[in-house]
Amino acid sequence: MKVAFAKPELPEQGAYAVGVLEGRKLSAAASQAEKATKGAVARALNASRFKGGKDEQLIVLAPQGLNVSRLILTGFGNPAKLTPQDFEAIGGRLVAALNAAGDREGTIAIEAFAGAQLNEAEIAARIAVGARLRSYRFDKYRTKEKPEHKPTLKKLTITLQDPAAAKKVFEPLDKVVDSVIVTRDLVSEPANIIYPETLAREASTLSGLGVKVEVLGEKEMKRLGMGALLGVGQGSERESQLVTMQWNGARDPKAKPVCFVGKGVTFDTGGISIKPAAGMEDMKWDMGGSAVVIGVMRALAARKAKVNAVGVIGLVENMPSGTAQRPGDIVTSMSGQTIEVLNTDAEGRLVLADALWYAQENFSPGVIVDLATLTGAIMVALGTEHAGLFANDDTLAEQLTAAGKETGELVWRMPLAPAYDRLIDSPAADMKNIGGRYGGSITAAQFLQRFIHKGTPWAHLDIAGVTWSDKDKPTIPKGATAFGVRLLEQFVARGYEKK
Ligand code: BES
Ligand code: MN
Ligand code: ZN
């Protein structure tokens, strides 16, 4: 689907969306439609429960007096209260309605609303963002879908007084959306297509945007002593990989980078501590953290962010086999710390232990944020609405929480404390890779913290509950969400970019 911005004009085909405010107050475009249709808008409003709320729509089919398939009365609520996210949701719902109705083209009229937080161009740009995000679909393997079942919408035109201004606001946002789509695609791909080497290859394409990409194979990682990461991959036929992506966009090329580290388990069977069959297919998205890191790095590079940023992703496949690591094995991590692997299904933390250490040793980051589909326990704690946030630094936690509210990618802070840390002490090695029955997400985070240098601000996002959505949301169709790309892009834009 394409989006375009144009001057206000009544469309001559397709669907036409016009705004209605709280209390059924007509926007200028809606009043014009009301006149053109000799009262169809008022009649429809009177015959319905539609009040003009920001999540409401009312469809008037083939109204006389307008050459459109349908008029979509679109609730704009109280525009003074609407946030960028609200307008994105309006754009997303519009796309869903147009596809459900079978329209190939749609137009939505935007105007400047008195008292609104966003100007006309910003509103138009956010509607465009929401429309693009909602029109995402992963259908490349569906060769037999009937045309009449495919989404119909080809073009959405957003009309406003100053289309050029909207284009300008939309440009960087559009690049972030592109990156969200890249991440969603990577997460959606099955594990026979995306495995460590192919995911590393995908990351390598960022070099086209000026990102310096390096890929380490097992030989190099062995030389570096990455026994924790390598142990997870040793049962797989696929070679483990570690990828670093560097974007140097800051005025000061020596400025300490912001560092993002991602868990990239391209498939998690659990290993010898094998998972039950039901639902195991979900573990194709156990590389979600790494795909988000790729997406964030891509977004920063594409919009030439004035920041130094580094992405590090540890890519492995966790398989059971004759060469797989066994429960009870003791591995030595790159940091020198030893780990008793009591459960081979607690593998993400083993991968991150070496990826985090490598990132700190090589790039001395000013701040480090990791993302991982790390624990089922975080879904028990927070459900699917918030990612779990763990941090050793209050300012960093606040920055991430604020960026979450601004993007709708919400995070909720969870505790770290020495008493939790003791739960992963082992009599056989420096630590074990699982805690007890309780507080599973916290003991996982404590494990990671043992691989963070003293004094480095660090945050861990457990995204197990938010990486895949089982239902359609206004700007997120069912499936891969790319949760984290927009959050971290905003986090950088707000706090780490010197304009
Ligand atoms: N990748 C899983 C966590 C997960 C579960 C992500 C469900 C998304 C949906 C992780 O590697 C795992 O298996 N964690 C175990 C840890 C346990 C063995 C301590 C878990 O959560 O059960
Ligand atoms: Mn696992
Ligand atoms: Zn896993």
Side-chain angles (χ1 to χ4, degrees), residues 222-243:
K222 200 160 179 189
R223 211 176 299 131
L224 290 163
M226 294 192 175
L229 184 154
L230 290 169
V232 177
Q234 80 184 34
S236 170
E237 294 282 330
R238 309 288 194 190
E239 186 179 341
S240 301
Q241 311 270 287
L242 186 101
V243 183

Side-chain angles (χ1 to χ4, degrees), residues 112-405:
F113 296 109
Q117 299 166 33
L118 282 75
N119 65 34
E120 206 192 16
E122 290 164 340
I123 293 173
R126 290 295 168 169
I127 286 180
V129 166
R132 281 204 65 202
L133 288 172
R134 182 60 183 272
S135 66
Y136 175 77
R137 200 163 186 257
F138 186 78
D139 57 5
K140 65 193 273 201
Y141 299 113
R142 302 185 60 169
T143 66
K144 301 208 159 138
E145 191 178 26
K146 298 210 173 77
E148 61 267 33
H149 293 152
K150 285 202 164 74
T152 47
L153 188 65
K154 298 283 177 281
K155 186 174 177 194
L156 178 68
T157 303
I158 303 170
T159 67
L160 73 165
Q161 293 302 333
D162 190 351
K167 245 179 238 161
K168 209 165 151 213
V169 179
F170 183 52
E171 212 176 300
L173 297 172
D174 196 27
K175 294 185 166 133
V176 177
V177 174
D178 288 338
S179 304
V180 165
I181 289 171
V182 165
T183 296
R184 286 182 182 171
D185 278 343
L186 292 174
V187 172
S188 303
E189 287 283 2
N192 59 326
I193 304 296
I194 285 291
Y195 47 88
E197 281 174 314
T198 52
L199 189 47
R201 211 172 297 149
E202 292 296 330
S204 300
T205 64
L206 297 196
S207 60
L209 290 166
V211 177
K212 186 172 158 203
V213 185
E214 278 169 356
V215 181
L216 305 189
E218 289 184 355
K219 215 169 114 202
E220 291 99 325
M221 286 192 274
K222 200 160 179 189
R223 211 176 299 131
L224 290 163
M226 294 192 175
L229 184 154
L230 290 169
V232 177
Q234 80 184 34
S236 170
E237 294 282 330
R238 309 288 194 190
E239 186 179 341
S240 301
Q241 311 270 287
L242 186 101
V243 183
T244 63
M245 294 159 268
Q246 287 173 260
W247 168 251
N248 266 9
R251 288 243 168 69
D252 173 7
K254 297 232 166 59
K256 282 192 170 184
V258 179
C259 185
F260 301 115
V261 176
K263 167 178 173 181
V265 177
T266 59
F267 196 80
D268 180 13
T269 62
I272 296 299
S273 313
I274 199 162
K275 287 181 181 295
M280 201 200 275
E281 65 277 8
D282 283 351
M283 288 302 106
K284 75 171 184 182
W285 47 263
D286 209 20
M287 34 58 75
S290 66
V292 169
V293 172
I294 293 171
V296 175
M297 294 305 297
R298 191 194 176 285
L300 295 175
R303 66 167 186 72
K304 299 199 164 39
K306 294 207 179 339
V307 67
N308 292 341
V310 181
V312 176
I313 54 180
L315 309 179
V316 301
E317 186 182 50
N318 189 19
M319 298 290 273
S321 76
T323 61
Q325 109 178 312
R326 296 145 291 255
D329 282 4
I330 296 177
V331 296
T332 303
S333 66
M334 184 185 174
S335 74
Q337 299 177 92
T338 57
I339 305 160
E340 186 185 16
V341 180
L342 289 181
N343 189 319
T344 64
D345 197 12
E347 85 297 341
R349 64 199 75 183
L350 298 170
V351 173
L352 287 173
D354 281 336
L356 285 165
W357 194 260
Y358 182 84
Q360 293 166 95
E361 293 288 300
N362 284 273
F363 303 108
S364 325
V367 56
I368 187 160
V369 180
D370 76 69
L371 301 105
T373 49
L374 203 62
T375 66
I378 202 69
M379 306 166 80
V380 176
L382 300 177
T384 58
E385 302 301 327
H386 286 82
L389 160 66
F390 299 82
N392 65 2
D393 183 281
D394 292 344
T395 307
L396 175 56
E398 280 157 23
Q399 289 169 334
L400 288 165
T401 303
K405 285 182 183 156

